[in-house]
Amino acid sequence: MQPNQQRIKLAVQKSGRLTDHSLDLLERCGLKFTQSKDQLICVGENMPIDLLLVRDDDIPSLVSEDICDLGIVGQNVIQEKGHALRKNGGARFDQVFALDFGHCRLAIAAPEDTPFAGIQDLQNSTIATSYVGILTDFLERNDIQAQTVYFSGAVEIAPKLGQADFICDLVSTGSTLAANQLVPVHDVMQSEAVIIQTREPLSTGKQEWVDRILQRLDGVLQVRESKYIMLHAPRSALEQISLLLPGSEAPTVIPLDDDRVAVHAVCRENVFWETLENLKSAGASSLLVLPVEKMLA
Ligand code: ATP
Ligand code: ZN
């Protein structure tokens, strides 16, 4: 076996909305890369993992066909490409977990002056979209007869060109729609970036590295909002204080003297001033909240 077959290949969007977030997340997992001259592959310096920089649309099939072991891509792309892959026996990858970036929604939007009371108003209309697969499924599920028109980009100009009555496109802030005098009228799906893994079994060595990377990714995601909280409290208030600690499992309790204890806990949610005030009212003192840098369960 060639040595490079032992290296993990992770497909990441080459240039677009997911690129910086993906690279930043991998960097925070401790991965270091050198970018090659052709900029298609970034070679991992400190772990046997290389990045393939590709168009996001290609990521589901690269992982499904086992050309890459892992990929980072939006659920919208996975679902849309799932249609094409279904024809070839189905997508052969699993979504491992969501990565909490690339949040957007696929929504139907109408020109501002179009009255819209509900999705039945889509009946017999023409809808422009780059997401023909997802839209067709949505229309079928809702028993709506409508014509879909494929636009590879700039979908929002279709109504102005007289090509469609509605559009179905990705929205995050809605500013692109507003600039084209369109308003979102119905959400078809919510999406965020996810990490996917091929279903093809990996060699033991490779799987161990994949597990290690996934564990680090999970750790990075968990610490984002996590805080380490320390406080002193009367032993009698311990139960109430434990209940007030947001998103924390069993706190560590250290006796200070007969009546008082120190409590240390990781809170997996942000700790707001209000929480601290409530803890103080319950008897806590010397409260300290610290950011968590790394966490390994
Ligand atoms: P590529 O050249 O890789 O095909 P693209 O133009 O298809 O790029 P981008 O516009 O960079 O893709 O979007 C990549 C992904 O970012 C989308 O598929 C989606 O999951 C996510 N995303 C988040 N917010 C938005 C948004 N407002 N508009 C479009 N995509 C968004
Ligand atoms: Zn794309």
Side-chain angles (χ1 to χ4, degrees), residues 13 16-18 55-57 74 76-77 102-104 170-172:
Q13 190 186 23
R17 292 171 195 262
L18 303 180
R55 287 201 59 194
D56 67 345
D57 312 67
N76 53 308
V77 174
H103 289 276
C104 56
L170 293 178
V171 187
S172 49

Side-chain angles (χ1 to χ4, degrees), residues 256-270:
L256 293 175
D257 54 39
D258 286 350
D259 304 325
R260 295 183 63 74
V261 289
V263 179
H264 291 197
V266 174
C267 295
R268 285 166 200 259
E269 294 167 26
N270 215 340

